[in-house]
């Protein structure tokens, strides 16, 4: 119940909180050894997690008359909308490398570097960390990169806690 309540608050504040639902669902199934006989009514607690995001959508509707108003703000104010990662990558690539030498932008190079670093590390260590951690990391990466405009990827990757576990494996 406590994990679900914290997941509710996480999904209320950021879309990434909703990703806790599939990760914790997998963790629940693992704890029950994937046996339907072992499952109990407590699986219903996990349904609390997406309710935070549902509350956020309701708030959008009450304030603006549109459940998805936040997507309009993202598009008009930040030029971000959901699209295939190739579009965001090409935008970041053109900002980083298709400029004159004195205009090269290290910031855009870091967007590309961090996106690929997370992808490579999670795929490389997928068998060495808990499957729920891999699911959480990959779904976060999908949310981060399926954007028309790659911005703040290094900052967003800091919320992918399994990355710290993977990086700690280098010190062993």
């Amino acid at each position: 119940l406590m994990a679900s309540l914290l997941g509710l608050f996480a999904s209320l504040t950021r879309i990434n909180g909703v990703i806790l639902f599939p990760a914790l669902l997998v963790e629940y199934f693992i704890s029950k050894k994937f046996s339907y006989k072992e499952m109990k009514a407590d699986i219903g607690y996990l349904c609390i997690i997406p309710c935070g995001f549902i509350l956020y959508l309701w708030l959008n509707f009450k304030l603006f008359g549109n459940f998805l108003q936040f997507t309009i703000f993202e598009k008009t104010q930040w030029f971000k909308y959901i699209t295939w990662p190739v579009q965001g990558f090409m935008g970041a690539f053109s900002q980083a490398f298709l400029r004159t030498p004195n205009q090269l932008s290290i910031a855009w190079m870091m967007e590309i570097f961090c996106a690929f670093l997370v992808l490579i590390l999670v795929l490389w260590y997928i068998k060495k960390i808990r499957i729920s951690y891999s699911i959480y990391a990959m779904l976060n990466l999908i949310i981060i990169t399926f954007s028309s405009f790659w911005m703040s990827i290094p900052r967003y990757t800091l919320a992918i806690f399994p990355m710290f576990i993977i990086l700690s494996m280098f010190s062993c």
Side-chain angles (χ1 to χ4, degrees):
L1 178 62
M2 183 58 75
S4 297
L5 289 174
L6 293 173
L8 172 117
F9 291 125
S11 69
L12 183 61
T13 56
R14 295 201 52 85
I15 186 70
N16 305 60
V18 177
I19 296 172
L20 291 170
F21 178 72
L24 288 175
L25 190 63
V26 166
E27 203 61 42
Y28 181 84
F29 287 135
I30 289 170
S31 73
K32 302 299 180 185
K33 298 177 179 54
F34 295 96
S35 170
Y36 290 109
K37 294 176 187 175
E38 296 286 324
M39 288 186 209
K40 299 177 183 165
D42 61 352
I43 194 171
Y45 289 140
L46 293 177
C47 296
I48 294 172
I49 296 170
C51 290
F53 185 61
I54 292 167
L55 283 170
Y56 177 72
L57 294 176
W58 177 80
L59 179 65
N60 273 273
F61 182 75
K62 288 307 260 182
L63 292 175
F64 306 108
N66 182 356
F67 289 106
L68 300 174
Q69 184 66 36
F70 71 96
T71 61
I72 295 169
F73 290 145
E74 284 276 323
K75 189 172 186 176
T76 59
Q77 303 299 313
W78 296 100
F79 313 108
K80 291 182 81 156
Y81 51 90
I82 298 171
T83 187
W84 292 103
V86 109
Q87 183 176 347
F89 169 77
M90 291 309 293
F93 183 84
S94 67
Q95 291 294 328
F97 298 107
L98 301 180
R99 293 174 169 238
T100 61
N102 62 344
Q103 293 177 323
L104 285 178
S105 174
I106 298 296
W108 293 104
M109 291 178 195
M110 288 306 295
E111 305 292 333
I112 297 167
F113 174 76
C114 285
F116 282 101
L117 177 68
V118 171
L119 178 65
I120 291 165
L121 288 176
V122 170
L123 291 176
W124 189 269
Y125 284 92
I126 201 162
K127 297 279 189 195
K128 295 183 181 191
I129 61 174
R130 298 183 74 85
I131 189 68
S132 57
Y133 292 174
S134 297
I135 289 168
Y136 180 80
M138 287 306 292
L139 290 177
N140 258 299
L141 187 62
I142 287 170
I143 285 178
I144 293 168
T145 58
F146 273 61
S147 174
S148 60
F149 186 65
W150 282 12
M151 182 173 65
S152 300
I153 288 181
R155 180 173 60 97
Y156 292 146
T157 57
L158 289 174
I160 306 175
F161 75 89
M163 291 306 304
F164 295 100
I165 297 169
I166 292 170
L167 291 172
S168 74
M169 291 177 180
F170 285 112
S171 67
C172 296

